[in-house]
Amino acid sequence: DAKTTQPPSMDCAEGRAANLPCNHSTISGNEYVYWYRQIHSQGPQYIIHGLKNNETNEMASLIITEDRKSSTLILPHATLRDTAVYYCIVRAVGETGANNLFFGTGTRLTVIP
Amino acid sequence: KAGVTQTPRYLIKTRGQQVTLSCSPISGHRSVSWYQQTPGQGLQFLFEYFSETQRNKGNFPGRFSGRQFSNSRSEMNVSTLELGDSALYLCASQTTGSSYNEQFFGPGTRLTVL
């Protein structure tokens, strides 16, 4: 029961912005959009999350469309160390929200020197 | 603050054996979730423990079980191992049972079943 759709792979030149899209057309009102990434053979790493407003932290920016049916993760200046699989996840948040994350297939981002 | 630790990091077993994996969450975290990652199925949720009680369970057979101790450390057990159980097993911890909190993942245990 995949709730998100992501392109399987993308390339980005080192130093340029990487824009990773995600479609989540069936997102519910109480579901947030989360992004994690997994560098080869390591555990997933939390990047950012948001509900409906755009969010920015030291790692990335998250742009969510007004209808919330899609979002874009932006890595402003990609480095070789950003090469990883990026997962977009929708997750109900709240006291009774499920803590199981559904990862889907993700986008394999390759940063090219 | 130390991160999530998992032991052992690598394990080789044969079919029919059983295995126990251990996860120590970040200090102060009370919720531990387990995931299985295989090339074919990707990352799949196994179960979540909070305050020594299983709160959520994924779609895995009863051969997969777990428990959590009073210090929040968790173990998962797989009995009667099958070749298809070869995978990276990841655990994640978060501060409370509320899904407001982020999950932090450990490095995983890579299990190979021969």
Side-chain angles (χ1 to χ4, degrees):
Chain A
D1 50 336
K3 293 185 175 181
T4 64
T5 304
Q6 298 177 254
S9 64
M10 291 181 64
D11 292 339
C12 177
E14 188 178 16
R16 303 297 295 269
N19 297 288
L20 292 92
C22 179
N23 286 321
H24 31 80
S25 59
T26 61
I27 193 170
S28 301
N30 67 337
E31 288 181 320
Y32 284 60
V33 179
Y34 279 73
W35 283 83
Y36 281 77
R37 73 180 182 184
Q38 187 175 26
I39 296 170
H40 182 62
S41 293
Q42 297 182 20
Q45 176 191 24
Y46 165 80
I47 301 173
I48 198 169
H49 76 279
L51 180 62
K52 54 184 178 181
N53 297 321
N54 298 337
E55 302 288 344
T56 296
N57 62 20
E58 65 279 2
M59 288 183 67
S61 294
L62 174 60
I63 309 297
I64 303 174
T65 58
E66 192 168 342
D67 62 8
R68 304 213 317 127
K69 292 185 177 181
S70 65
S71 61
T72 301
L73 177 74
I74 302 173
L75 308 178
H77 305 287
T79 71
L80 298 179
R81 284 177 290 185
D82 292 323
T83 293
V85 178
Y86 287 77
Y87 295 97
C88 169
I89 300 165
V90 295
R91 179 189 186 195
V93 174
E95 291 302 321
T96 58
N99 286 328
N100 48 308
L101 301 177
F102 182 80
F103 278 83
T105 55
T107 296
R108 182 174 299 278
L109 175 69
T110 302
V111 180
I112 302 169
Chain B
K1 185 184 276 191
V4 178
T5 58
Q6 293 187 244
T7 57
R9 293 293 312 278
Y10 301 92
L11 202 51
I12 299 175
K13 292 285 188 179
T14 57
R15 281 180 297 174
Q17 288 186 308
Q18 74 167 20
V19 67
T20 299
L21 312 180
S22 180
C23 171
S24 293
I26 294 172
S27 177
H29 286 197
R30 294 168 59 196
S31 167
V32 174
S33 297
W34 288 89
Y35 294 81
Q36 181 198 63
Q37 185 171 30
T38 61
Q41 299 297 319
L43 265 157
Q44 294 185 288
F45 171 77
L46 279 157
F47 29 65
E48 182 212 357
Y49 285 88
F50 175 71
S51 294
E52 303 176 64
T53 301
Q54 188 181 89
R55 278 172 25 117
N56 295 297
K57 189 175 189 304
N59 188 26
F60 279 82
R63 300 186 297 107
F64 291 81
S65 63
R67 59 177 175 168
Q68 187 180 34
F69 302 95
S70 58
N71 62 357
S72 295
R73 190 176 70 84
S74 177
E75 290 180 347
M76 68 162 283
N77 184 277
V78 188
S79 62
T80 320
L81 284 166
E82 301 176 359
L83 295 179
D85 297 333
S86 294
L88 180 67
Y89 290 89
L90 293 155
C91 98
S93 77
Q94 63 182 66
T95 54
T96 71
S98 165
S99 56
Y100 285 116
N101 307 119
E102 297 320 307
Q103 291 190 17
F104 296 88
F105 284 81
T109 294
R110 185 163 296 281
L111 170 66
T112 301
V113 181
L114 302 176

